[in-house]
Amino acid sequence: MEEKPRLSRLTAILTQLQSSRIVTAKTLAEKHDVSIRTIYRDIRTLEKSGVPIITEEGKGYSMMEGYQLPPIMFTEDEANALITAEQLILKNKDASFVQHYSEAILKIKALLKGSQKDKASLLTDRVYFTDNFLHQRTSNYLMRIQSALINFQVLNIDYLSLNKDFTNRDIEPFALYSTQEKWLLIAYCRLRKAFRVFRIDLIQKITNTYVQFESHNMTLEEYYKSYDAYYQDHPELNGK
């Protein structure tokens, strides 16, 4: 009875190693509800089977650069979750996000088996999300902002506030969140020398300067603790 769960666990560990830069034994043990010693044995088993796993002392495990596993097969429930998410994302108002997700999901669908493809098509036709808003696209910059955010690159933006105040400024993207079908960008504004919140649909023009900035050593949770109360008292500062 032990072999099948272990086989599933080994497959899951391979997937996690392939999708993350580095994974700790503690993280793997907690995810699969086993001991760290069991994870050590699993890693040795994978290494003996020819998987090139790199052990970084004090950090964790990673897959050798350039090594590719065979395409991962999705379970029916996993495929259903992806198809359902696709229908929800198609309602998103940022055109760049919709385009890139649609292209990604197309590649994922190519990995499905023949019978899964038929079921995926059926589910696509039978799942629909609606709301009370018009679905015109309101922005097209989300993916460019995401790229600058993860690469720590300064963006130059032309911004038109809700009060019709126009400004040009350099910003350091920090985080993104979505509310009421609007994407909001938290960024450090070099013009105001402070963090500000911008509505992406109010950005008139965006240019990547490719100037690098130092990562803000702060989590999103820490940001909210420091700034959320301040902005609640000064809502007029958002985007100014």
Side-chain angles (χ1 to χ4, degrees), residues 18-31:
Q18 191 177 20
S19 61
S20 305
R21 194 189 69 80
I22 194 163
V23 185
T24 66
K26 182 174 182 291
T27 297
L28 291 170
E30 290 174 350
K31 179 177 177 60

Side-chain angles (χ1 to χ4, degrees), residues 8-21:
S8 298
R9 188 174 67 247
L10 289 171
T11 302
I13 290 173
L14 274 175
T15 300
Q16 200 161 353
L17 286 170
Q18 191 177 20
S19 61
S20 305
R21 194 189 69 80

Side-chain angles (χ1 to χ4, degrees), residues 5-111:
R6 189 182 187 217
L7 181 59
S8 298
R9 188 174 67 247
L10 289 171
T11 302
I13 290 173
L14 274 175
T15 300
Q16 200 161 353
L17 286 170
Q18 191 177 20
S19 61
S20 305
R21 194 189 69 80
I22 194 163
V23 185
T24 66
K26 182 174 182 291
T27 297
L28 291 170
E30 290 174 350
K31 179 177 177 60
H32 299 288
D33 196 25
V34 294
S35 68
I36 290 180
R37 181 169 293 185
T38 296
I39 295 298
Y40 292 156
R41 287 200 298 267
D42 288 345
I43 293 295
R44 284 197 295 272
T45 297
L46 291 171
E47 288 174 330
K48 287 178 181 178
S49 70
V51 179
I53 298 174
I54 298 172
T55 301
E56 298 187 35
E57 292 297 331
K59 293 184 178 181
Y61 304 106
S62 61
M63 197 81 78
M64 181 179 290
E65 188 74 26
Y67 179 77
Q68 291 294 323
L69 291 170
I72 297 166
M73 293 297 105
F74 294 96
T75 66
E76 186 169 298
D77 285 342
E78 289 169 342
N80 289 347
L82 289 167
I83 300 305
T84 302
E86 178 188 21
Q87 297 308 303
L88 180 59
I89 286 171
L90 289 175
K91 300 297 182 185
N92 192 277
K93 289 193 173 182
D94 187 272
S96 65
F97 182 39
V98 172
Q99 176 192 347
H100 284 84
Y101 187 88
S102 296
E103 291 171 354
I105 204 74
L106 191 63
K107 293 178 181 178
I108 289 172
K109 286 178 179 177
L111 299 177

